[in-house]
Amino acid sequence: MKCFGFLFSVFAFFASARADPTWSEVGLAQLSDKNISPLGQTALALKPAEWKHAETPNFIYHFFHGFVAAPVSVEAEFYYRVIAKELEKDTTQWERKSHIFVFERPEDWKAFQQKAALDPWTGGIHSGNDLFLLRDSELKFKGRTLGHEITHLVLHRFFGSGIPLWLNEGYAEYASTRAYASFERARGFRAKPQSQAIAPTDFIPVGKLAGALSYPGEDKQVATFYAESEKLVRFLSATNKPSFLAFLEAMAKGNKFDNALSRTFGSRFTGVDSLEREFKVYASKDYAGE
Ligand SMILES: [Zn+2]
């Protein structure tokens, strides 16, 4: 899935090239999961002699230099653990891994974009079980964009491709905000998850948000789409966590929003209207939690 959250600034996070302790660099033929998607094969076909490969328990990495890609593994595994715990899922026995392709040179990324027919502005793309991204050494690390993309990978691994757009983006924002705060805390920074208020005039009706099949056309509406989706995930999860997890399962299996809501939150909300009345008030407030 194409994301509004750009990836161009993710990688300078660590001054040194730390890797997840389980990071191990191996040849393509030695990877535990050699299933490369067609889009992945397109990437590897560009400069085929130069790609290197490595893996950690839940991810496989394709890259040009270890010191560039290894820091990604620290975040990838960290986010994976936090999100799996949040979703109450355990996949330690799974053999299929997500693949992360790390480009370094803008010209290589451009060539890949052209071959893969991606939008020219895309700084990173999540597609099924794969994440493709461009590392930009000019820019310093900015927050949680990698976490957002990793969340899409983890959601796809747990629930497949049936999750609707608002829920996929909303959950990715929600989880990466929370996980990033704990990532920062683990490294000794004071951090609390932040969530910005939605002005009532910008508020997208829940039915419209839930039914969106593509991103809004204007930048400002796109920002509201992400923020409000995150708020709705946060609101439902805070209202009743087990109900929210059941709701997520139901949506991933293709239930309609109102049916999934009545099946999982039926004793709390009489319908979408009653949810919206409460949610609109909730969304209009800033949030800074633990
Ligand atoms: Zn996204």
Side-chain angles (χ1 to χ4, degrees):
M1 183 170 297
K2 185 172 63 187
C3 287
F4 188 67
F6 302 108
L7 281 156
F8 43 60
S9 54
V10 168
F11 293 93
F13 193 179
F14 299 96
S16 61
R18 285 197 296 159
D20 186 85
T22 58
W23 167 271
S24 100
E25 210 167 309
V26 293
L28 186 59
Q30 280 81 50
L31 290 171
S32 64
D33 178 356
K34 291 183 269 295
N35 294 307
I36 311 285
S37 68
L39 202 51
Q41 286 173 16
T42 300
L44 296 185
L46 297 157
K47 307 196 169 165
E50 292 182 37
W51 286 98
K52 294 178 179 168
H53 317 275
E55 63 183 291
T56 59
N58 293 291
F59 299 91
I60 284 173
Y61 311 85
H62 308 278
F63 54 91
F64 295 102
H65 292 98
F67 68 90
V68 173
V72 177
S73 68
V74 178
E75 281 194 75
E77 287 294 338
F78 179 88
Y79 276 98
Y80 183 90
R81 284 193 299 275
V82 171
I83 295 160
K85 195 172 162 209
E86 177 90 20
L87 292 172
E88 297 172 10
K89 299 264 185 191
D90 176 19
T91 61
T92 46
Q93 300 305 309
W94 288 24
E95 290 175 354
R96 203 161 151 250
K97 296 187 178 187
S98 300
H99 290 245
I100 300 178
F101 297 78
V102 183
F103 288 78
E104 291 177 24
R105 285 178 290 261
E107 59 269 29
D108 292 345
W109 180 248
K110 217 171 181 178
F112 172 66
Q113 281 183 310
Q114 280 162 3
K115 291 220 162 162
L118 306 179
D119 290 344
W121 53 264
T122 306
I125 183 170
H126 163 246
S127 168
N129 210 30
D130 298 332
L131 173 61
F132 303 87
L133 45 85
L134 170 66
R135 176 244 189 199
D136 188 334
S137 58
E138 299 297 309
L139 294 161
K140 294 284 182 218
F141 172 74
K142 290 245 184 60
R144 55 189 178 75
T145 43
L146 180 61
H148 175 106
E149 300 297 335
I150 298 286
T151 308
H152 284 317
L153 285 182
V154 178
L155 280 177
H156 184 269
R157 175 156 167 170
F158 292 151
F159 298 103
S161 56
I163 300 175
L165 187 65
W166 77 270
L167 188 52
N168 207 353
E169 296 302 352
Y171 192 84
E173 287 291 284
Y174 167 74
S176 60
T177 304
R178 284 168 67 92
Y180 180 62
S182 34
F183 192 59
E184 288 285 271
R185 285 199 299 268
R187 296 168 65 242
F189 296 99
R190 278 195 207 169
K192 284 184 172 186
Q194 302 278 333
S195 178
Q196 298 248 314
I198 312 288
T201 46
D202 295 334
F203 187 82
I204 304 166
V206 169
K208 190 178 171 193
L209 186 82
L213 297 176
S214 61
Y215 301 93
E218 288 174 34
D219 282 359
K220 193 185 174 210
Q221 289 175 327
V222 174
T224 304
F225 179 83
Y226 276 78
E228 190 174 321
S229 296
E230 185 271 342
K231 286 271 190 194
L232 186 51
V233 166
R234 183 179 297 280
F235 176 67
L236 291 172
S237 183
T239 299
N240 188 314
K241 176 88 182 291
S243 293
F244 172 71
L245 294 178
F247 173 82
L248 186 54
E249 293 272 4
M251 291 301 291
K253 285 184 183 138
N255 275 209
K256 285 188 177 168
F257 186 92
D258 47 350
N259 288 340
L261 188 70
S262 80
R263 281 178 50 192
T264 56
F265 282 96
S267 58
R268 182 64 174 71
F269 306 110
T270 53
V272 177
D273 288 350
S274 101
L275 163 71
E276 180 161 298
R277 271 194 298 279
E278 268 191 60
F279 171 58
K280 197 167 178 179
V281 175
Y282 178 89
S284 69
K285 294 174 183 157
D286 282 326
Y287 170 88
E290 290 303 319

